[in-house]
Amino acid sequence: MVALTTSDVERIAALAHLELTADEKALFARQLAGILAYAQQIQALDTSGVPATAHVHAGAHPEREDEPRPCLPRDEALGNAPDAAPEAGLFRVPRVIG
Amino acid sequence: MLASGARAIRDEVAAGRVSAVEVCRSFLDRIERLHASLNAFTLVDSERALARAADVDRRRAAGEPAGALAGVPVALKDNLCVRGMRTTASSRILEGFIPPYDATVVQRLEAAGAVIVGKTNCDEFAMGSSNENSAFGPVHNPWATERTPGGSSGGSAAAVAAQCVPLALGSDTGGSIRQPAAFCGVVGLKPTYGRVSRYGLLAFASSLDQIGPITRSAADAALALGVLAGLDPADATSSPQPVPDCGAALTGDIAGLRIGVPRAFVSDGVDGGVRQAFDAALDALRGRGAALVDIELPHAKYAIPVYYLVATAEASSNLARYDGVRFGYRSSRDPDQGLKAMYSRTRDEGFGAEVKRRIMLGTYVLSAGYYDAYYLKAQQVRTLLRHDYQQAFERVDVVAMPTSPIPPFRLGEKTDDPLQMYLADVFTVSANLAGLPAISVPCGFTDGRLPVGLQLTGRMFDESTLLRVADAYERLTDWHTRTPEL
């Protein structure tokens, strides 16, 4: 059985940039433990020497010329931002350094 | 008109017997009439659709050759980008997002004369098997509106089943085209990984995602695949393999074809009505000269844990981009608490429960101390599963399974237990892990009059054989012609 504490959940949530409510922390601790316990069954398989599949076409590495091509105009790239400063050509975010 | 398939509509429009505008109006009326009962669409853009349809008519009048989908109304799952058309992935976090570019499949559809009518409801970021994880509310199954249409492409499947469109696109990461197609009694094709460009598809799990058509016949799926498939410089994982004329493969001849049936794998947990329909479908195919061959897929029983480790790991990385800076929703709570607080609040308020659960699971299995035991181990078992299929395809041409072990379940029935929901994907996730093409074809109904799907999985890039078998099966039965009363 996999046990997940609230502090485990808080550590993962911090890595994932998710500010969870107390209810969500308790729910996810229980549900993730259940899913991980189910996933434990693959530990029974002997996979020594078996290569990992990250991708089914892992052998293919297409290349192209390293030439500049048309890209999104700046005003369109900024057009969807919740807080843009189009005249400066920037995305605006809350203060980073105190 | 509404009952016509994509090919028939294209032929009528190309011959000038009906205008693309008339076709478009008929389907738009149908969409409007059924919206309240099905909730299949997140957006309908009638004005744009009618203008595009008028373009098709104008080009025909000017003597230009008709495209392969001239005048065919198409609905797109709402995780596909159309320039200028709101795209949400059924998530609050993409609130207000208007894509500044077209997905490659959108360019290809429109170049072939297809008329995009709007976007369909889906599980948030394509994560779900019931279409209940949507910021727009659930879609209702046209055959039984208190039941799920399946997911995650539930809106696309319901729209095709309800004759709101003859063709819709879905995306399939672990069964999200095939399972809703089965639940709604229509055809759903997941092409080989790399067959169709993913450029402009909002990414869920990049090594598994694939775009494909949902239609009411294998012939229409073949027609659509011919338009969608092919190399795209904008997607480095799209394949340079030549695209065959799948329509030409639909000969009706399956004599001598070898159909593998993984008997042990499909013996447990399959609903009685599903089993009956599946067995009858195999008998029908054998009656046309196909040979049934018992095969084993020894690692298929591990496909669900492998899938939910690999897919969530990839999702946790892909969904890191939704942070309230460049697009979509931003939390307005306490903006003076700094950037990191803004990220975390935006993501907590913008994502729904299932998406958060999967981001959490994926982050956990990639985190220090757990990577080898979960993520790496799952990737190794993924290799073993691929070998199972490689060995099977030395002896057989296609592998047959039910698409889903259970018929469409009631809305709300599985929402409290994510693991039970995941287990419903047991027969579909393997094709994504192995990168193989797979199709779901209507193969009957349970006693409760709920649709059942037959799933066929093929060799890499051998969609032609899949479509040939599916089409041959359709010639033997009339399941795919049945329509729900609405």
Side-chain angles (χ1 to χ4, degrees), chain B residues 259-279 282 292-301 389 399-406 423 425-428 430 453-457:
Chain B
I259 300 174
V261 186
R263 298 274 178 201
F265 182 48
V266 299
S267 67
D268 289 339
V270 177
D271 169 88
V274 171
R275 167 161 303 286
Q276 234 168 26
F278 176 64
D279 289 342
L282 293 179
L292 302 183
V293 181
D294 285 358
I295 59 162
E296 287 191 34
L297 299 171
H299 299 94
K301 63 182 173 192
Y389 275 99
V399 172
M401 288 186 252
T403 307
S404 166
I406 49 173
L423 294 177
D425 302 340
V426 61
F427 297 140
T428 49
S430 295
L454 166 69
Q455 179 181 229
L456 301 164
T457 306

Side-chain angles (χ1 to χ4, degrees), chain A residues 24 31 43 45 51 53 57, chain B residues 193 348 356-357 373 377 383:
Chain A
E24 284 177 320
Q31 291 179 334
Q43 306 302 334
L45 284 167
T53 294
H57 300 326
Chain B
Y193 183 79
D348 186 50
K356 283 189 246 187
R357 193 156 35 239
K377 185 81 178 181
T383 303

Side-chain angles (χ1 to χ4, degrees), chain B residues 20-71:
Chain B
V21 168
E22 287 172 78
V23 172
C24 189
R25 283 222 173 87
S26 304
F27 283 98
L28 287 171
D29 287 348
R30 176 81 171 170
I31 291 168
E32 192 182 343
R33 189 164 82 72
L34 293 178
H35 183 68
S37 51
L38 298 180
N39 196 30
F41 283 80
T42 59
L43 179 120
V44 179
D45 193 340
S46 307
E47 200 176 316
R48 183 183 188 279
L50 288 165
R52 298 289 170 133
D55 275 349
V56 171
D57 289 333
R58 230 183 335 266
R59 285 201 297 271
R60 197 200 74 81
E64 291 179 34
L69 293 171

Side-chain angles (χ1 to χ4, degrees), chain B residues 150-163:
Chain B
S152 64
S153 313
S156 287
V160 173
Q163 302 185 341

Side-chain angles (χ1 to χ4, degrees), chain B residues 104-115:
Chain B
T104 297
V105 290
V106 169
Q107 289 177 356
R108 286 176 180 253
L109 285 172
E110 294 196 325
V115 174

Side-chain angles (χ1 to χ4, degrees), chain B residues 141-352:
Chain B
N141 191 314
W143 291 92
T145 51
E146 78 289 3
R147 290 177 186 266
T148 164
S152 64
S153 313
S156 287
V160 173
Q163 302 185 341
C164 292
V165 278
L167 165 64
L169 297 196
S171 65
D172 190 315
T173 306
S176 280
I177 289 173
R178 292 160 286 155
Q179 185 252 22
F183 276 16
C184 292
V186 294
V187 175
L189 172 66
K190 181 200 90 73
T192 309
Y193 183 79
R195 183 59 108 180
V196 175
S197 168
R198 294 181 291 114
Y199 181 71
L201 168 69
L202 303 182
F204 159 15
S206 302
S207 82
L208 305 165
D209 296 343
Q210 192 58 192
I211 300 166
I214 296 176
T215 58
R216 287 195 303 275
S217 70
D220 276 357
L223 177 68
L225 184 66
V227 170
L228 301 171
L231 181 66
D232 175 17
D235 174 4
T237 64
S238 73
S239 171
Q241 286 276 335
V243 180
D245 178 359
C246 290
L250 308 183
T251 58
D253 180 12
I254 54 168
L257 183 104
R258 297 163 302 170
I259 300 174
V261 186
R263 298 274 178 201
F265 182 48
V266 299
S267 67
D268 289 339
V270 177
D271 169 88
V274 171
R275 167 161 303 286
Q276 234 168 26
F278 176 64
D279 289 342
L282 293 179
D283 283 345
L285 290 166
R286 186 170 47 195
R288 287 292 291 183
L292 302 183
V293 181
D294 285 358
I295 59 162
E296 287 191 34
L297 299 171
H299 299 94
K301 63 182 173 192
Y302 301 106
I304 289 283
V306 170
Y307 173 79
Y308 279 94
L309 297 172
V310 169
T312 57
E314 294 187 22
S316 73
S317 170
N318 272 326
L319 272 63
R321 74 193 65 183
Y322 302 103
D323 59 6
V325 174
R326 288 155 298 158
F327 31 68
Y329 174 77
R330 176 187 287 191
S331 172
S332 54
R333 197 150 49 97
D334 303 327
D336 53 348
Q337 290 196 6
L339 182 62
K340 283 188 79 171
M342 187 280 282
Y343 288 156
S344 298
R345 283 171 189 165
T346 293
R347 290 163 61 79
D348 186 50
E349 293 165 18
F351 288 133

Side-chain angles (χ1 to χ4, degrees), chain B residues 397-485:
Chain B
D397 302 302
V398 298
V399 172
M401 288 186 252
T403 307
S404 166
I406 49 173
F409 42 92
R410 287 176 195 284
L411 291 166
E413 191 178 320
K414 293 182 188 290
T415 40
D416 292 338
D417 190 343
L419 185 56
Q420 282 307 309
M421 189 76 92
Y422 299 170
L423 294 177
D425 302 340
V426 61
F427 297 140
T428 49
V429 293
S430 295
N432 302 79
L433 290 167
L436 302 167
I439 193 169
S440 179
V441 198
C443 74
F445 294 83
T446 64
D447 286 346
R449 309 307 298 157
L450 300 171
V452 179
L454 166 69
Q455 179 181 229
L456 301 164
T457 306
R459 296 187 181 92
M460 293 292 277
F461 298 105
D462 192 14
E463 287 88 356
S464 291
T465 300
L466 285 187
L467 289 160
R468 176 160 59 92
V469 183
D471 171 68
Y473 179 71
E474 288 175 357
R475 298 182 195 209
L476 300 171
T477 63
D478 66 353
W479 303 120
H480 67 293
T481 65
R482 308 281 180 96
T483 49
E485 281 175 32

